[in-house]
Amino acid sequence: MILLKRLLAMVALFASLLPQLWAQGAVEPETKPALEQAPPDKRVLGVLPNYRTANETAVYTPITVKQKFAIASKDSFDYPLIMLGAAIAGVGQLTNDNPSFGQGAAGFARRFGTSYADQAIGNMMTEAIFPSFLHEDPRYFRRGYGSMWSRTFYAASRVFLTRTDAGNWRFNYSEVLGNATAVAISNSYYPDNRRVGANVEKLGQQIGIDASSQVLKEFWPDIKRKFFQHHKDEASKN
């Protein structure tokens, strides 16, 4: 529950930036661009992995099973995931989540290992294993145009809608079933949280995290242009 509250606070902070971007003309135009959009950055804020983002306006090209596993592996074994696991473990240590893990170095190690496993298993299930079996595309297709709210809704709703390998849109079975499988597996190493309610809450948290990350990916080029490229241009003039 604490993780969910922190997530909602981050989403609220990010959402507060969007009206500023819109008012100052930093958001993409509302009409579909005539020219091809620039390829997405491989990292958001220079840290967060962004390997599975593609442009929605580009001609759709499916990816192979090998490419799906490559994307999932990059997301699962990149250093920011280790940092996230350590941060979640630190919060869990302070709040004594999963009391059976204990305290001290041993308790922190258990919390770090389980939190890292949550993310890595979830990534492999939702980005590689289930998409390969179900012939779904695990990538997020950034829209890059339209009103602020339509883009926000589009980005967040992609956890429930995805493209198939044939390029058609349908319900995102890989996201829901993949995360549900990851939660079920986590019962083997979370002895304190094997209740149905706790599992449902963990599933909701993970889907919420994925939805929030896609909203961030949708607007990252706008944020970069407004808050980073602008300062770079100003520095080059001086």
Side-chain angles (χ1 to χ4, degrees), residues 120-138:
I121 294 172
N123 287 342
M124 296 303 296
M125 290 293 174
T126 60
E127 299 176 20
I129 296 174
F130 275 91
S132 297
F133 280 124
L134 300 175
H135 302 287
E136 293 181 344
D137 197 318

Side-chain angles (χ1 to χ4, degrees), residues 44-158:
V44 174
L45 295 171
V47 178
L48 302 177
N50 193 31
Y51 301 109
R52 66 186 186 100
T53 299
N55 288 324
E56 185 264 343
T57 55
V59 176
Y60 178 73
T61 303
I63 58 176
T64 65
V65 170
K66 182 178 179 180
Q67 288 173 311
K68 292 174 184 179
F69 273 86
I71 291 173
S73 296
K74 288 179 179 178
D75 281 347
S76 299
F77 303 110
D78 205 353
Y79 71 89
L81 196 65
I82 297 175
M83 296 166 57
L84 177 61
I88 294 174
V91 173
Q93 191 89 341
L94 291 173
T95 58
N96 199 32
D97 285 349
N98 299 289
S100 64
F101 287 171
Q103 288 291 322
F108 179 83
R110 293 189 186 97
R111 291 183 175 88
F112 170 72
T114 53
S115 61
Y116 179 85
D118 287 345
Q119 302 301 317
I121 294 172
N123 287 342
M124 296 303 296
M125 290 293 174
T126 60
E127 299 176 20
I129 296 174
F130 275 91
S132 297
F133 280 124
L134 300 175
H135 302 287
E136 293 181 344
D137 197 318
R139 291 175 293 178
Y140 169 66
F141 292 90
R142 179 179 178 266
R143 194 176 186 190
Y145 65 92
S147 69
M148 176 186 68
W149 296 117
S150 70
R151 289 174 64 189
T152 301
F153 177 78
Y154 168 86
S157 65
R158 293 314 95 173

